[in-house]
């Protein structure tokens, strides 16, 4: 009997070690969605991307991950999750090296896309392997909670890590930091992890993969270029083509036996609210993170290290809120916690409207702390809420959609709200250049022009975060109507049922 207990103890220890080794790539995927927020001024000075290129550098990674996440999840089911994890880690590492030594914006965009290609294999495969490592429901719940907390912490720590690295090293260091983690993962993963595959995963529709990726990219490209350069017939045609392809994609999903995006799940209002929460929380977080990073450095004049230190309070609160969310749910229920996340995010974003070209540090810290509570709750609760809202046999699709909503939100936040900020800058600024950083880099520029450019940037930032706040508050009120109170009682009953 003692021997059996010892075997069980060793199996548990190996499972926890396997969890630790999977968390490395998970943290990297999350960090690389945000690590450039404080690094963009340095990158702009070094390789001088245009306004459009700067936005692509930031968000092509998120678009690559989000557009391929579900497809790669299905392929992992068919061909083996561990194989996909190892292959994805190699591709991610190669992309990181290429990005670190990119000589121009085009090369950096291509390498960021390659990193996104690798990252799209890591999240769904990592979550599936973790679930397989812990057959005990209680331990599995703990492990998935740690997975979610690591993902949230990676998003929060990314800007801080980027700032610390840039205070001592060249901008390429924000990518080279990935390499040691990738090497350790490739060394230990084959030893600690077992292969996981599904016996009947269904067929992956290649056309759906192409339609979703191309449709998203064309539609967002039209929005981004219109904000940076003004509207034109070509941009309108590109946007309409992208929307038409997305409509084709949606209609195709309704006819497939194994759809890439199971639209039937959205018939459940609770599931819809959960997915929209995952999407909008990252839209708001990404846009505010990028714009405030530029604001602290280029408007208020803080060094990259000082800006990184100012991010720490919000990052700490976000991580603590994510870890503490299950305890909050036990006290007030899933519904109340989910609704609270929207109002914390919306209220915190409104605080950023108090920032000016002269003062804004106190408002920034207060905003990051208040929104950090909302972001932490959201990151922790979205997947659980989505999965609990659908039948057990569709839990995998629900989890993949929850992950995709986060990644797509991260990309859309910078693309759409970043484009709105760029449009307002172009309309109200001095017209010397397309962005604030490009304006500041002009030699011999007049002080009046600099002041006008800073005012225009703050105007653009206020417009973007104002829209983000309204979206979060609006979804909060929608959740009040759509998420029934009975869900809390059902969750408590399920928790005590053997």
């Amino acid at each position: 009997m003692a021997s059996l207990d010892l075997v069980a103890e060793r199996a548990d220890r190996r499972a926890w070690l396997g969890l630790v080794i999977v968390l490395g790539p998970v943290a990297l995927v999350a960090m690389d969605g945000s690590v450039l927020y404080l690094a963009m001024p340095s990158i702009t000075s070094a390789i001088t991307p245009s306004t459009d290129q700067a936005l692509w550098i930031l968000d092509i990674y998120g678009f690559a991950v989000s557009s391929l996440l579900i497809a790669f999840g299905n392929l992992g089911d068919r061909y083996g999750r561990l194989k996909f994890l190892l292959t994805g880690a190699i591709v991610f590492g190669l992309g990181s090296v290429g990005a670190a030594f990119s000589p121009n914006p085009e090369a950096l965009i291509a390498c960021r896309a390659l990193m996104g290609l690798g990252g799209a294999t890591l999240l769904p495969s990592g979550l599936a392997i973790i679930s397989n490592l812990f057959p005990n429901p209680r331990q599995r719940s703990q492990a998935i909670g740690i997975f979610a907390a690591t993902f949230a912490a990676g998003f929060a720590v990314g800007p801080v890590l980027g700032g610390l690295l840039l205070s001592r090293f060249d901008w390429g260091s924000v990518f080279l930091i990935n390499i040691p983690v990738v090497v350790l993962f490739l060394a230990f993963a084959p030893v600690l992890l077992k292969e996981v595959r599904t016996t009947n995963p269904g067929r992956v529709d290649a056309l759906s993969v192409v339609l979703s990726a191309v449709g998203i990219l064309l539609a967002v490209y039209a929005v981004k270029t219109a904000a940076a350069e003004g509207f034109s017939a070509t941009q309108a045609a590109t946007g309409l083509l992208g929307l038409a392809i997305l409509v084709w994609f949606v209609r195709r999903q309704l006819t497939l036996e194994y759809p890439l995006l199971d639209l039937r799940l959205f018939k459940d209002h609770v599931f819809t609210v959960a997915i929209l929460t995952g999407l909008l929380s990252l839209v708001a977080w990404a846009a505010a993170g990028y714009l405030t990073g530029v604001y602290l450095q280029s408007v208020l004049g803080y060094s990259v290290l000082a800006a990184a230190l100012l991010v720490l309070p919000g990052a700490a609160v976000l991580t603590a809120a994510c870890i503490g969310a299950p305890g909050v749910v036990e006290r007030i229920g899933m519904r109340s916690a989910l609704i609270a996340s929207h109002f914390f995010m919306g209220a915190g974003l409104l605080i950023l409207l108090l920032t000016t070209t002269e003062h804004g540090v106190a408002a920034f810290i207060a905003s990051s702390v208040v929104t950090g509570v909302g972001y932490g709750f959201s990151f922790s609760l979205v997947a659980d809420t989505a999965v609990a809202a659908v039948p057990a046999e569709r839990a995998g699709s629900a989890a993949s959609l929850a992950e995709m909503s986060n990644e797509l939100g991260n990309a859309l936040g910078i693309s759409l709200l970043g484009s709105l900020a760029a449009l307002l800058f172009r309309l109200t600024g001095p017209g010397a250049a397309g962005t604030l950083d490009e304006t500041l880099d002009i030699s011999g520029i007049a002080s009046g022009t600099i002041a006008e450019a800073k005012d225009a940037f703050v105007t653009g930032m206020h417009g973007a975060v104002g829209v983000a706040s309204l979206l979060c508050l609006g979804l909060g009120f929608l959740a009040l109507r759509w998420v029934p109170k009975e869900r809390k009682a059902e969750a408590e009953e399920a928790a005590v049922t053997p």
Side-chain angles (χ1 to χ4, degrees):
M1 195 69 176
S3 175
L4 290 175
D5 291 342
L6 184 58
V7 170
E9 181 184 349
R10 288 175 178 172
D12 285 344
R13 185 181 297 118
R14 177 169 177 169
W16 288 110
L17 288 174
L19 171 63
V20 170
I21 202 65
V22 169
L23 293 181
V26 170
L28 288 184
V29 173
M31 284 193 299
D32 274 274
S34 62
V35 72
L36 294 188
Y37 292 166
L38 291 180
M40 280 310 296
S42 300
I43 293 175
T44 299
S45 297
I47 59 176
T48 60
S50 66
T51 303
D52 196 38
Q53 288 173 330
L55 291 175
W56 275 116
I57 289 170
L58 283 164
D59 58 37
I60 189 62
Y61 173 83
F63 279 120
V65 173
S66 59
S67 61
L68 297 172
L69 196 63
I70 294 179
F72 281 3
N74 292 332
L75 290 172
D77 283 338
R78 179 183 293 274
Y79 299 111
R81 296 288 192 178
L82 183 57
K83 288 180 182 178
F84 257 63
L85 268 176
L86 296 173
T87 303
I90 293 172
V91 172
F92 190 87
L94 292 174
S96 298
V97 173
F101 297 102
S102 295
N104 52 56
E106 293 82 3
L108 182 53
I109 292 170
C111 289
R112 287 277 287 170
L114 187 63
M115 291 171 65
L117 182 68
T121 71
L122 298 176
L123 288 179
S125 296
L127 192 56
I129 284 180
I130 287 174
S131 298
N132 184 259
L133 285 173
F134 297 92
N136 179 275
R138 184 179 295 274
Q139 287 186 326
R140 184 167 61 247
S141 178
Q142 293 174 341
I144 292 175
I146 294 172
F147 181 97
T150 301
F151 190 73
F155 266 119
V157 170
V160 180
L161 179 62
L164 293 174
L165 288 171
L166 289 167
S167 68
R168 291 180 173 271
F169 306 105
D170 185 69
W171 63 268
S173 62
V174 300
F175 300 110
L176 291 178
I177 193 66
N178 297 337
I179 305 306
V181 179
V182 170
V183 171
L184 287 173
F185 177 77
L186 293 174
F188 289 101
V191 179
L192 295 172
L193 304 178
K194 296 179 181 179
E195 186 58 276
V196 178
R197 55 169 56 90
T198 302
T199 55
N200 185 28
R203 186 176 66 88
V204 176
D205 184 55
L207 180 57
S208 293
V209 175
V210 175
L211 291 176
S212 62
V214 172
I216 290 172
L217 289 175
L218 288 179
V220 174
Y221 175 78
V223 173
K224 285 154 50 70
T225 53
E229 303 169 7
F231 294 96
S232 69
T234 301
Q235 288 155 354
T238 302
L240 290 174
L241 177 60
L243 290 176
I245 291 174
L246 289 176
V247 170
W248 181 11
F249 166 77
V250 169
R251 296 186 64 179
R252 183 172 178 80
Q253 302 317 293
L254 298 174
T255 64
L256 295 174
E257 182 181 2
Y258 299 104
L260 190 66
L261 180 64
D262 192 351
L263 298 174
R264 294 169 295 178
L265 296 175
F266 289 94
K267 292 180 180 179
D268 188 293
H269 284 175
V270 178
F271 176 82
T272 301
V273 168
I275 297 302
L276 288 176
T277 300
L279 180 75
L280 290 184
S281 62
L282 264 296
V283 165
W285 189 86
Y290 164 55
L291 294 171
T292 54
V294 177
Y295 170 74
L296 291 174
Q297 295 176 78
S298 300
V299 176
L300 297 185
Y302 284 93
S303 68
V304 67
L305 178 59
L309 295 176
L310 291 173
V311 171
L312 280 176
V317 170
L318 189 156
T319 305
C322 185
I323 295 172
V328 174
V329 170
E330 288 182 6
R331 288 179 174 271
I332 67 175
M334 180 74 78
R335 176 181 185 270
S336 297
L338 188 66
I339 292 170
S341 71
H342 300 117
F343 290 109
F344 272 109
M345 289 185 288
L349 289 166
L350 286 178
I351 298 175
L352 283 176
L353 298 181
L354 301 176
T355 54
T356 68
T357 56
E358 301 294 332
H359 306 286
V361 172
F364 167 75
I365 294 175
S367 172
S368 65
V369 168
V370 175
T371 55
V373 177
Y375 296 144
F377 285 178
S378 170
F379 294 166
S380 179
L381 301 179
V382 163
D384 283 345
T385 305
V387 171
V390 302
E393 64 271 15
R394 299 163 82 180
S397 297
S400 294
L401 281 170
E403 293 288 355
M404 186 193 72
S405 70
N406 284 154
E407 289 297 334
L408 186 59
N410 185 45
L412 287 176
I414 298 172
S415 295
L416 301 183
L417 295 184
S419 294
L420 173 60
L423 175 62
L424 292 174
F425 177 85
R426 189 173 65 84
L427 294 176
T428 62
T435 66
L436 175 60
D437 288 322
E438 288 177 319
T439 303
L440 297 178
D441 285 339
I442 299 175
S443 59
I445 189 170
S447 58
T449 304
I450 292 176
E452 187 179 353
K454 290 182 177 181
D455 282 331
F457 178 84
V458 172
T459 298
M461 183 178 73
H462 287 173
V465 298
V467 170
S469 175
L470 291 176
L471 290 173
C472 292
L473 294 173
L475 185 56
F477 286 110
L478 184 65
L480 278 170
R481 292 191 57 188
W482 276 10
V483 181
K485 295 180 180 180
E486 289 74 16
R487 290 276 174 179
K488 177 183 176 183
E490 292 171 5
E492 290 174 348
E493 181 182 349
V496 299
T497 302

